[in-house]
Amino acid sequence: MAISSEYLDYILDLLSPLDGITSRRMFGGCGLYKDHVFFALISDDTLYFKVTEADTRETYQKACSTPFSYKKQGKDVTLSSYWRVPAEWLEDQEILLDYAEQSYAQTIRNPNRK
């Protein structure tokens, strides 16, 4: 898992209209927070939003998105609550901001969030 400074800056610029967005590098990637709530991650220069509700997950599936996965001790690990943001959403800031807000809202509604 790696992330370039340029990609992080690009994503933060796209999300800049949202108040309270911060980032923190971790495990070679980066966590994105809104008002101190972890709602997205970046790994290998790919943005993933947290998705907790079935209807939203279905939207990501229809957009041919995939859940975040990585290798741990030679085994594939999938975090099914984080889904890759489709490239076309990155090209339309209004759509991206809408899904970022949805991700944040779902995260704070989920009682099991950390």
Side-chain angles (χ1 to χ4, degrees):
M1 295 188 292
I3 177 174
S4 68
S5 294
E6 294 82 13
Y7 188 78
L8 176 58
D9 290 345
Y10 168 66
I11 295 300
L12 291 175
D13 185 55
L14 287 174
L15 297 176
S16 65
L18 302 177
D19 291 331
I21 299 293
T22 57
S23 65
R24 183 172 27 188
R25 289 188 180 263
M26 56 187 197
F27 307 113
C30 184
L32 297 181
Y33 300 78
K34 179 173 174 21
D35 301 327
H36 307 287
V37 174
F38 181 46
F39 77 98
L41 63 89
I42 300 173
S43 178
D44 293 324
D45 286 350
T46 303
L47 176 62
Y48 298 84
F49 283 155
K50 184 160 188 165
V51 179
T52 61
E53 297 176 6
D55 57 341
T56 306
R57 189 173 298 112
E58 188 174 307
T59 300
Y60 283 77
Q61 290 168 333
K62 286 179 181 177
C64 297
S65 179
T66 54
F68 174 68
S69 64
Y70 63 97
K71 288 206 179 283
K72 181 177 181 181
Q73 299 176 343
K75 295 181 182 181
D76 289 327
V77 177
T78 299
L79 298 180
S80 60
S81 59
Y82 288 91
W83 285 75
R84 180 183 47 81
V85 173
E88 58 269 16
W89 296 0
L90 294 173
E91 295 172 7
D92 186 325
Q93 188 179 33
E94 187 175 325
I95 290 173
L96 180 68
L97 294 174
D98 182 52
Y99 281 101
E101 288 281 18
Q102 284 183 37
S103 177
Y104 170 74
Q106 289 178 30
T107 302
I108 61 175
R109 280 194 300 265
N110 180 357
N112 295 321
R113 74 175 176 88
K114 292 183 179 179

